[in-house]
Tab-separated table of all heavy atoms in Angstrom:
chain	number	residue	atom	x	y	z
A	1	LEU	N	0.820	-1.217	0.000
A	1	LEU	CA	0.000	0.000	0.000
A	1	LEU	C	0.849	1.259	0.000
A	1	LEU	O	0.447	2.296	0.516
A	1	LEU	CB	-0.945	0.038	1.211
A	1	LEU	CG	-2.048	-0.988	1.258
A	1	LEU	CD1	-2.830	-0.852	2.563
A	1	LEU	CD2	-2.994	-0.848	0.084
A	2	ASN	N	2.043	1.161	-0.538
A	2	ASN	CA	2.900	2.340	-0.526
A	2	ASN	C	3.187	2.839	-1.930
A	2	ASN	O	4.169	3.492	-2.176
A	2	ASN	CB	4.196	2.061	0.232
A	2	ASN	CG	5.015	0.962	-0.416
A	2	ASN	OD1	4.626	0.383	-1.426
A	2	ASN	ND2	6.147	0.660	0.159
A	3	LYS	N	2.298	2.496	-2.842
A	3	LYS	CA	2.400	2.992	-4.199
A	3	LYS	C	1.724	4.350	-4.248
A	3	LYS	O	0.813	4.613	-3.478
A	3	LYS	CB	1.738	2.004	-5.159
A	3	LYS	CG	2.233	0.563	-5.004
A	3	LYS	CD	1.357	-0.416	-5.756
A	3	LYS	CE	0.019	-0.571	-5.147
A	3	LYS	NZ	-0.262	-1.647	-4.273
A	4	GLY	N	2.115	5.192	-5.114
A	4	GLY	CA	1.619	6.543	-5.313
A	4	GLY	C	0.319	6.933	-4.653
A	4	GLY	O	0.292	7.508	-3.574
A	5	LEU	N	-0.824	6.634	-5.296
A	5	LEU	CA	-2.119	7.104	-4.809
A	5	LEU	C	-2.512	6.470	-3.484
A	5	LEU	O	-3.079	7.131	-2.611
A	5	LEU	CB	-3.203	6.827	-5.856
A	5	LEU	CG	-3.077	7.606	-7.168
A	5	LEU	CD1	-4.143	7.148	-8.157
A	5	LEU	CD2	-3.188	9.095	-6.918
A	6	GLU	N	-2.235	5.170	-3.313
A	6	GLU	CA	-2.568	4.504	-2.054
A	6	GLU	C	-1.766	5.120	-0.905
A	6	GLU	O	-2.292	5.348	0.178
A	6	GLU	CB	-2.289	2.998	-2.122
A	6	GLU	CG	-3.248	2.227	-2.987
A	6	GLU	CD	-2.776	2.138	-4.434
A	6	GLU	OE1	-1.824	2.843	-4.818
A	6	GLU	OE2	-3.392	1.372	-5.198
A	7	ARG	N	-0.515	5.388	-1.166
A	7	ARG	CA	0.342	5.974	-0.141
A	7	ARG	C	-0.181	7.349	0.271
A	7	ARG	O	-0.276	7.670	1.448
A	7	ARG	CB	1.767	6.069	-0.669
A	7	ARG	CG	2.758	6.574	0.329
A	7	ARG	CD	4.141	6.594	-0.283
A	7	ARG	NE	5.088	6.974	0.736
A	7	ARG	CZ	6.323	6.561	0.787
A	7	ARG	NH1	6.782	5.754	-0.127
A	7	ARG	NH2	7.123	6.957	1.740
A	8	GLU	N	-0.531	8.157	-0.701
A	8	GLU	CA	-1.056	9.489	-0.408
A	8	GLU	C	-2.399	9.393	0.320
A	8	GLU	O	-2.657	10.150	1.261
A	8	GLU	CB	-1.207	10.295	-1.697
A	8	GLU	CG	-1.630	11.722	-1.474
A	8	GLU	CD	-0.649	12.531	-0.627
A	8	GLU	OE1	0.560	12.239	-0.638
A	8	GLU	OE2	-1.119	13.446	0.076
A	9	ALA	N	-3.251	8.454	-0.090
A	9	ALA	CA	-4.543	8.274	0.577
A	9	ALA	C	-4.345	7.879	2.038
A	9	ALA	O	-5.025	8.408	2.928
A	9	ALA	CB	-5.371	7.224	-0.157
A	10	LEU	N	-3.418	6.971	2.306
A	10	LEU	CA	-3.141	6.565	3.689
A	10	LEU	C	-2.597	7.728	4.498
A	10	LEU	O	-2.958	7.918	5.660
A	10	LEU	CB	-2.137	5.408	3.728
A	10	LEU	CG	-2.690	4.020	3.498
A	10	LEU	CD1	-1.567	3.002	3.478
A	10	LEU	CD2	-3.715	3.646	4.555
A	11	ARG	N	-1.738	8.490	3.895
A	11	ARG	CA	-1.147	9.636	4.583
A	11	ARG	C	-2.238	10.615	5.024
A	11	ARG	O	-2.182	11.173	6.118
A	11	ARG	CB	-0.140	10.331	3.663
A	11	ARG	CG	0.766	11.301	4.382
A	11	ARG	CD	1.809	11.928	3.465
A	11	ARG	NE	2.732	10.933	2.967
A	11	ARG	CZ	3.046	10.786	1.671
A	11	ARG	NH1	2.530	11.562	0.752
A	11	ARG	NH2	3.902	9.864	1.298
A	12	CYS	N	-3.221	10.818	4.185
A	12	CYS	CA	-4.298	11.778	4.475
A	12	CYS	C	-5.413	11.185	5.334
A	12	CYS	O	-6.183	11.929	5.941
A	12	CYS	CB	-4.897	12.283	3.163
A	12	CYS	SG	-3.749	13.230	2.166
A	13	ALA	N	-5.513	9.866	5.382
A	13	ALA	CA	-6.661	9.206	6.011
A	13	ALA	C	-6.650	9.235	7.528
A	13	ALA	O	-7.701	9.139	8.159
A	13	ALA	CB	-6.753	7.757	5.534
A	14	GLY	N	-5.482	9.311	8.135
A	14	GLY	CA	-5.419	9.286	9.587
A	14	GLY	C	-5.677	7.918	10.179
A	14	GLY	O	-6.059	7.802	11.337
A	15	LEU	N	-5.478	6.871	9.384
A	15	LEU	CA	-5.660	5.501	9.877
A	15	LEU	C	-4.377	5.007	10.540
A	15	LEU	O	-3.285	5.459	10.222
A	15	LEU	CB	-6.002	4.562	8.718
A	15	LEU	CG	-7.281	4.841	7.950
A	15	LEU	CD1	-7.364	3.957	6.719
A	15	LEU	CD2	-8.494	4.642	8.844
A	16	ILE	N	-4.537	4.061	11.425
A	16	ILE	CA	-3.390	3.339	11.972
A	16	ILE	C	-3.234	2.096	11.111
A	16	ILE	O	-4.204	1.371	10.884
A	16	ILE	CB	-3.630	2.954	13.444
A	16	ILE	CG1	-3.864	4.214	14.287
A	16	ILE	CG2	-2.472	2.131	13.985
A	16	ILE	CD1	-4.430	3.950	15.657
A	17	VAL	N	-2.026	1.857	10.628
A	17	VAL	CA	-1.804	0.740	9.712
A	17	VAL	C	-0.683	-0.139	10.256
A	17	VAL	O	0.386	0.358	10.632
A	17	VAL	CB	-1.433	1.234	8.296
A	17	VAL	CG1	-1.309	0.055	7.344
A	17	VAL	CG2	-2.456	2.237	7.784
A	18	PHE	N	-0.943	-1.437	10.281
A	18	PHE	CA	0.062	-2.429	10.656
A	18	PHE	C	0.379	-3.238	9.403
A	18	PHE	O	-0.471	-3.968	8.889
A	18	PHE	CB	-0.455	-3.349	11.766
A	18	PHE	CG	-0.657	-2.633	13.070
A	18	PHE	CD1	-1.880	-2.060	13.387
A	18	PHE	CD2	0.385	-2.523	13.978
A	18	PHE	CE1	-2.073	-1.388	14.580
A	18	PHE	CE2	0.205	-1.847	15.181
A	18	PHE	CZ	-1.025	-1.278	15.487
A	19	PHE	N	1.602	-3.070	8.889
A	19	PHE	CA	2.054	-3.780	7.708
A	19	PHE	C	2.783	-5.046	8.128
A	19	PHE	O	3.794	-4.961	8.844
A	19	PHE	CB	3.040	-2.925	6.895
A	19	PHE	CG	2.437	-1.715	6.265
A	19	PHE	CD1	2.596	-0.462	6.838
A	19	PHE	CD2	1.721	-1.821	5.077
A	19	PHE	CE1	2.057	0.667	6.245
A	19	PHE	CE2	1.176	-0.695	4.480
A	19	PHE	CZ	1.343	0.548	5.065
A	20	LEU	N	2.295	-6.208	7.721
A	20	LEU	CA	3.042	-7.442	7.942
A	20	LEU	C	4.207	-7.422	6.962
A	20	LEU	O	4.000	-7.242	5.760
A	20	LEU	CB	2.156	-8.667	7.700
A	20	LEU	CG	0.845	-8.726	8.493
A	20	LEU	CD1	0.118	-10.026	8.204
A	20	LEU	CD2	1.082	-8.552	9.983
A	21	ASP	N	5.427	-7.572	7.444
A	21	ASP	CA	6.571	-7.444	6.540
A	21	ASP	C	6.649	-8.619	5.564
A	21	ASP	O	5.919	-9.605	5.688
A	21	ASP	CB	7.875	-7.217	7.309
A	21	ASP	CG	8.487	-8.458	7.928
A	21	ASP	OD1	7.951	-9.571	7.748
A	21	ASP	OD2	9.523	-8.322	8.606
A	22	LYS	N	7.526	-8.495	4.584
A	22	LYS	CA	7.586	-9.471	3.486
A	22	LYS	C	7.911	-10.882	3.950
A	22	LYS	O	7.546	-11.846	3.288
A	22	LYS	CB	8.575	-9.018	2.422
A	22	LYS	CG	10.002	-8.951	2.882
A	22	LYS	CD	10.911	-8.461	1.782
A	22	LYS	CE	12.330	-8.349	2.314
A	22	LYS	NZ	13.237	-7.868	1.286
A	23	SER	N	8.540	-11.042	5.091
A	23	SER	CA	8.884	-12.393	5.560
A	23	SER	C	7.642	-13.223	5.902
A	23	SER	O	7.711	-14.455	5.936
A	23	SER	CB	9.842	-12.334	6.750
A	23	SER	OG	9.239	-11.691	7.841
A	24	TRP	N	6.497	-12.583	6.129
A	24	TRP	CA	5.265	-13.327	6.375
A	24	TRP	C	4.880	-14.168	5.166
A	24	TRP	O	4.201	-15.176	5.301
A	24	TRP	CB	4.125	-12.379	6.744
A	24	TRP	CG	4.225	-11.809	8.130
A	24	TRP	CD1	5.135	-10.890	8.574
A	24	TRP	CD2	3.398	-12.114	9.248
A	24	TRP	NE1	4.915	-10.608	9.903
A	24	TRP	CE2	3.847	-11.338	10.332
A	24	TRP	CE3	2.302	-12.952	9.423
A	24	TRP	CZ2	3.250	-11.394	11.595
A	24	TRP	CZ3	1.700	-13.002	10.676
A	24	TRP	CH2	2.179	-12.241	11.741
A	25	SER	N	5.319	-13.776	3.983
A	25	SER	CA	5.003	-14.513	2.745
A	25	SER	C	5.626	-15.898	2.719
A	25	SER	O	5.167	-16.776	1.989
A	25	SER	CB	5.511	-13.746	1.521
A	25	SER	OG	4.871	-12.517	1.430
A	26	ASN	N	6.662	-16.097	3.499
A	26	ASN	CA	7.394	-17.367	3.494
A	26	ASN	C	6.770	-18.434	4.386
A	26	ASN	O	7.371	-19.480	4.593
A	26	ASN	CB	8.846	-17.138	3.943
A	26	ASN	CG	9.562	-16.148	3.066
A	26	ASN	OD1	9.308	-16.052	1.875
A	26	ASN	ND2	10.467	-15.387	3.664
A	27	HIS	N	5.590	-18.170	4.909
A	27	HIS	CA	4.989	-19.084	5.880
A	27	HIS	C	3.586	-19.488	5.450
A	27	HIS	O	2.893	-18.749	4.756
A	27	HIS	CB	4.966	-18.428	7.259
A	27	HIS	CG	6.339	-18.068	7.744
A	27	HIS	ND1	7.178	-18.979	8.317
A	27	HIS	CD2	7.025	-16.908	7.671
A	27	HIS	CE1	8.325	-18.388	8.609
A	27	HIS	NE2	8.252	-17.125	8.221
């Protein structure tokens, strides 16, 4: 969610976001 428009939307939204890092994909 850190691509252009999504990133800007999150920045403006005031949401709390927990990103599971890429290592979660290995499980």
Side-chain angles (χ1 to χ4, degrees):
L1 293 177
N2 62 359
K3 308 168 290 263
L5 294 175
E6 289 90 349
R7 184 179 185 149
E8 185 60 29
L10 278 176
R11 194 177 295 130
C12 295
L15 298 172
I16 300 166
V17 184
F18 293 91
F19 293 101
L20 305 183
D21 79 3
K22 65 181 177 180
S23 63
W24 286 70
S25 298
N26 302 328
H27 300 279

